[in-house]
Amino acid sequence: MRSDEVKKGIERAPHRSLLKALGIDDEELDKPFIGVINSYSEIIPGHIHLAKIAEGVKAGIREAGGIPFECETIGICDGIAMNHSGMCFSLPSRELIADSVESLAEAYKFDGIVVIPNCDKIVPGMIMGLARVNIPSILVSGGPMLPGEYNGKRIDLSTIFEAVGAVASGKKDMEYLRELEYSACPGCGSCAGMFTANSMNCLSEAIGIALPGNGTIPAVEAGRIRLAKATGRAIVRLVKENIIPSMILTKSAFLNGIALDMALGCSTNTILHLTAIANELGIGLDFDEINSIADKTPYLCYLSPVGPYYVIDLYRAGGVMAVLKELNKKELVDRNTLTVSGKKLGELIDSAEVKDYNVIRPIDNPIRETGGLSILRGTLAPDGAVVKRSGVAESLYRFIGKAKVFDGEDEATKAIFGNKIEKGDVVIIRYEGPKGGPGMREMLTPTSALVGMGLDLDVALITDGRFSGATRGLAIGHVSPEAWEGGPIAYVRDGDLIEIDLNKREVNLLVDKEEIARRTYKVPESHKRKGYLGRYQKLVSSASFGAVMEVNRR
């Protein structure tokens, strides 16, 4: 066992003494040591209950004959960090979390690892760490939040973000906003819609690193504790059989994840995170390949923020495996990929059942024939950009408008709330990329404000930053190369015509090359950072490579 490096031999007597200070006895020294790496936190609603999840995991480990050791990592709630300088730390925290998992696994020579995340960057950061260490590993999350309720209608966090725009435009009053504050988020769990956290937790099932149910069992249900116990038992089996992440997280597994992504209409952030996780294993995810999957994978689940259903509805309808079962009817998934359950994905799919075809549409009667996300290219984004196509009205699939340019989210938000944006505008928010932000801030506040003000069918927003999974409307992010690195978005001026064509998957700056050559750009001094963000700014790669640290790029 790997853990013998810290507990066997005469020279390890001091180590054993320290372990015995924890209450470990000689009998336990002969059993596998399992790291339970928890991201419990009292500042994240999705993580406030993770201590209970960890107790379930540890019970399962002990039952199966392992010895659990709980450790913790950091976590940042994107909702609380949104629309201020704190958001600059959200995506960079993914690297800190991956480094933490690696550090704990290697320092203590755990025989296996269970990670317990739930939200935003914590899920992909932990999976990146598991892939990097490549010892028997499994993920179990804290589960989704229940939707809230207001005046008999179900709501979630996106509702209140959009309400801010409605209040700012005079459509609603402050009392309405205050009532939503108490109603939108009724308790623990990752926000109730198919936002980034729930997207990644669902995809973790498809790529095989989590047990079935991980993405959809509600945080408040006892089934979540049972899943935690099953996860604890499973990790001991994985250790005994020496099943490691590189055997599970194969190219085919990632393509399964992308197919599910398209069927669910997941967050645009999933492209960023799947690319980063695959990078840890030396696997490349080609944008053309992603678009090819989108072309043949139907959009099946009309989930919030674009539809009326929530993750709890997906759970009741049969969950992730039921969606994959529909996709399997047209051979859109690889059934032969291995999962942490010890079974092939096909076996798990065969035992699933669609229980509500309103929530999980039949594959022959989808919401749309093509998937929820698209990768765009063009003269404005030569290396790619991402749009949540499922959140865009078909009337906006082709859009030409005049640019209104802002060097950062704060300037743009002020202009939106100041009624400076008009129908037909293309809001350009630049210097918000991985280096430029730094940290690639999410733009939920400006996109939600446009929706709340009733401009979502008349205005486009383009950024080298990114969006929350709660974003909807014609919002194009991850524009690469970013402005900081002299990408075309750095040279856009007010009044330039921008052409968007989602059918052709293009986003173009309609300015001739000679005019562009005459223009210059200057990085805003306010975006240059010191400390951790300064180091991140120097080392992070383009969004087209998953915004991974260059030193880890393969």
Side-chain angles (χ1 to χ4, degrees), residues 375-395:
I375 308 296
L376 311 181
R377 286 196 175 90
T379 57
L380 189 60
D383 292 344
V386 184
V387 64
K388 188 170 183 174
R389 185 170 173 149
S390 61
V392 181
E394 291 190 27
S395 62

Side-chain angles (χ1 to χ4, degrees), residues 41-84:
S41 171
E42 292 185 347
I43 190 65
I44 308 176
H47 292 225
I48 188 69
H49 64 305
L50 293 190
K52 291 183 179 179
I53 303 298
E55 289 302 318
V57 170
K58 290 186 288 186
I61 291 170
R62 292 189 185 100
E63 179 187 333
I67 306 300
F69 294 91
E70 186 178 355
C71 317
E72 292 188 358
T73 67
I74 67 165
I76 290 177
C77 174
D78 280 16
I80 297 174
M82 195 75 67
N83 194 231
H84 58 84

Side-chain angles (χ1 to χ4, degrees), residues 288-301:
D288 291 332
E289 197 167 29
I290 292 172
N291 276 338
S292 176
I293 293 172
D295 282 339
K296 60 186 180 183
T297 306
Y299 173 40
L300 301 179
C301 300

Side-chain angles (χ1 to χ4, degrees), residues 159-423:
T159 311
I160 191 166
F161 266 98
E162 293 175 6
V164 173
V167 172
S169 63
K171 295 181 178 180
K172 296 288 184 178
D173 60 22
M174 285 299 298
E175 182 58 27
Y176 168 71
L177 198 62
R178 183 177 179 277
E179 290 176 2
L180 287 185
E181 288 177 25
Y182 278 99
S183 306
C185 300
C188 67
S190 47
C191 296
M194 191 51 69
F195 310 155
T196 302
N198 289 328
S199 295
M200 290 305 303
N201 282 324
C202 287
L203 295 187
S204 67
E205 292 187 45
I207 64 177
I209 201 66
L211 293 176
N214 179 72
T216 59
I217 298 173
V220 296
E221 291 202 4
R224 182 58 57 174
I225 302 300
R226 291 192 290 270
L227 180 69
K229 291 178 181 178
T231 298
R233 292 190 290 267
I235 187 58
V236 177
R237 176 184 51 77
L238 292 171
V239 169
K240 291 176 179 177
E241 297 177 7
N242 196 31
I243 296 175
I244 56 178
S246 59
M247 298 165 64
I248 294 170
L249 299 174
T250 61
K251 179 66 174 285
S252 291
F254 283 106
L255 298 184
N256 285 340
I258 292 168
L260 177 69
D261 197 323
M262 297 302 168
L264 292 178
C266 291
S267 163
T268 52
N269 284 316
T270 56
I271 301 300
L272 198 69
H273 298 322
L274 288 177
T275 303
I277 296 166
N279 174 76
E280 295 290 346
L281 295 148
I283 296 171
L285 293 181
D286 182 77
F287 281 175
D288 291 332
E289 197 167 29
I290 292 172
N291 276 338
S292 176
I293 293 172
D295 282 339
K296 60 186 180 183
T297 306
Y299 173 40
L300 301 179
C301 300
Y302 204 32
L303 301 168
S304 174
V306 298
Y309 298 114
Y310 295 87
V311 179
I312 188 172
D313 300 313
L314 179 60
Y315 170 60
R316 306 287 188 223
V320 166
M321 292 301 151
V323 178
L324 292 173
K325 186 160 191 168
E326 283 300 303
L327 297 182
N328 184 59
K329 290 178 179 178
K330 291 193 174 180
E331 300 181 347
L332 295 173
V333 293
D334 184 343
R335 296 172 51 87
N336 293 314
T337 57
L338 183 62
T339 72
V340 290
S341 70
K343 297 179 181 180
K344 299 289 182 67
L345 185 65
E347 296 177 75
L348 300 178
I349 290 172
D350 289 343
S351 62
E353 177 188 358
V354 178
K355 299 176 181 178
D356 187 340
Y357 277 108
N358 293 309
V359 178
I360 302 173
R361 295 281 285 273
I363 197 162
D364 292 325
N365 183 28
I367 300 163
R368 294 181 187 173
E369 294 291 340
T370 56
L373 299 181
S374 288
I375 308 296
L376 311 181
R377 286 196 175 90
T379 57
L380 189 60
D383 292 344
V386 184
V387 64
K388 188 170 183 174
R389 185 170 173 149
S390 61
V392 181
E394 291 190 27
S395 62
L396 295 177
Y397 275 20
R398 190 167 190 277
F399 187 94
I400 297 178
K402 290 184 178 181
K404 283 193 176 174
V405 183
F406 303 95
D407 289 345
E409 178 191 5
D410 299 336
E411 286 185 15
T413 301
K414 184 177 180 181
I416 292 169
F417 284 128
N419 296 311
K420 303 296 184 183
I421 305 302
E422 302 171 344
K423 292 182 178 181

